[in-house]
């Protein structure tokens, strides 16, 4: 889910890191739920005041989530828990050091299936492009990356799942109300 708040001018803003002050409203992390919330005026109901929803809100959320995942992946690389490249990732998978496997959405299907065969117990993220993963590793393109277990890896996996809802088109909007009001955090 993605948290939203209302800024002082009355616009709905995504709170990707869940740290902005004020009452929050939670929406399933996909474009359809966001559209439902906007068209049904659920943000205004959740915030109990007029809330203007920007037309680009879904695109903004996707962009912010992608940036967050890239930044967290970059931190993981700097912390020494992330590795990139086919051979290094294959070696890490064989040694059992991998908790999360990232594969570029625009990478070769043959190579992706080759490295992933037999490793079905590992979580795999495929919502980032090779150039997006490359940014985190300071390269032009990276198709395969692996992360060791830890809190940072869990955060990356959680945020990548939220991003996948916008990129893969996962539809969880089966609920009558797409927005769940949060608690007042000050």
């Amino acid at each position: 889910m993605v948290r939203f708040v209302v800024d002082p001018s009355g616009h709905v803003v995504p709170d990707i890191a869940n740290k902005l002050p004020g009452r929050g409203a939670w929406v399933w992390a996909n474009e359809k739920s966001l559209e439902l919330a906007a068209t049904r005026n659920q943000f205004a109901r959740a915030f109990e005041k007029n809330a203007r929803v920007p037309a680009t809100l879904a695109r903004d959320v996707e962009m912010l989530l992608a940036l967050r995942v890239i930044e967290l992946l970059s931190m993981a690389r700097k912390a020494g828990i992330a590795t990139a490249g086919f051979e290094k990732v294959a070696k890490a998978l064989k040694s059992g050091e991998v908790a999360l496997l990232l594969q570029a959405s625009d990478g070769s299907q043959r190579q992706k299936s080759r490295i992933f065969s037999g490793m079905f117990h590992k979580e795999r993220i495929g919502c980032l492009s090779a150039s997006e993963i490359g940014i985190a590793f300071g390269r032009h393109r990276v198709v395969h990356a692996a992360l060791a277990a830890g809190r940072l890896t869990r955060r990356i996996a959680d945020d990548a799942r939220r991003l996948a809802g916008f990129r893969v088109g996962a539809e969880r909007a089966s609920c009558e109300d797409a927005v769940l009001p949060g608690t007042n955090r000050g």
Side-chain angles (χ1 to χ4, degrees):
M1 295 186 89
V2 178
R3 182 175 186 260
F4 294 87
V5 296
V6 176
D7 69 8
S9 64
H11 290 90
V12 175
V13 217
D15 180 14
I16 302 302
N18 303 330
K19 293 184 178 186
L20 293 176
R23 181 183 182 117
W26 295 86
V27 179
W28 290 112
N30 63 65
E31 194 170 345
K32 183 171 179 155
S33 293
L34 208 49
E35 288 174 11
L36 277 173
T39 57
R40 292 181 179 176
N41 206 24
Q42 291 178 341
F43 284 111
R45 276 186 261 157
F47 294 120
E48 298 175 352
K49 62 180 174 180
N50 190 19
R52 289 176 287 223
V53 180
T56 61
L57 189 59
R59 189 177 43 157
D60 295 344
V61 171
E62 177 187 351
M63 180 195 64
L64 290 170
L65 283 170
L67 288 173
R68 179 165 170 85
V69 172
I70 291 167
E71 288 170 356
L72 291 173
L73 188 55
S74 179
M75 282 196 303
R77 178 188 60 83
K78 291 172 186 169
I81 63 169
T83 187
F86 183 85
E87 295 299 325
K88 289 180 182 177
V89 170
K91 183 179 176 183
L93 280 168
K94 286 179 183 158
S95 70
E97 300 169 3
V98 175
L100 179 66
L101 176 65
L102 282 91
Q103 293 185 305
S105 58
D106 55 347
S108 162
Q109 288 294 40
R110 187 174 73 77
Q111 287 285 31
K112 289 193 298 188
S113 63
R114 198 174 115 201
I115 201 167
F116 195 59
S117 64
M119 305 293 173
F120 294 106
H121 61 285
K122 303 295 181 204
E123 186 171 5
R124 186 175 69 115
I125 302 295
C127 60
L128 293 171
S129 70
S131 59
E132 289 173 325
I133 298 172
I135 291 169
F137 284 90
R139 300 182 190 167
H140 180 65
R141 291 175 47 89
V142 172
V143 176
H144 307 285
L147 289 103
R151 283 184 11 200
L152 184 55
T153 299
R154 284 192 301 277
R155 284 176 51 195
I156 292 169
D158 290 344
D159 286 338
R161 274 189 231 101
R162 293 192 304 164
L163 175 61
F166 287 91
R167 295 216 166 152
V168 180
E171 296 180 12
R172 288 185 172 174
S174 59
C175 304
E176 181 63 31
D177 290 327
V179 176
L180 304 173
T183 57
N184 189 353
R185 292 187 178 179

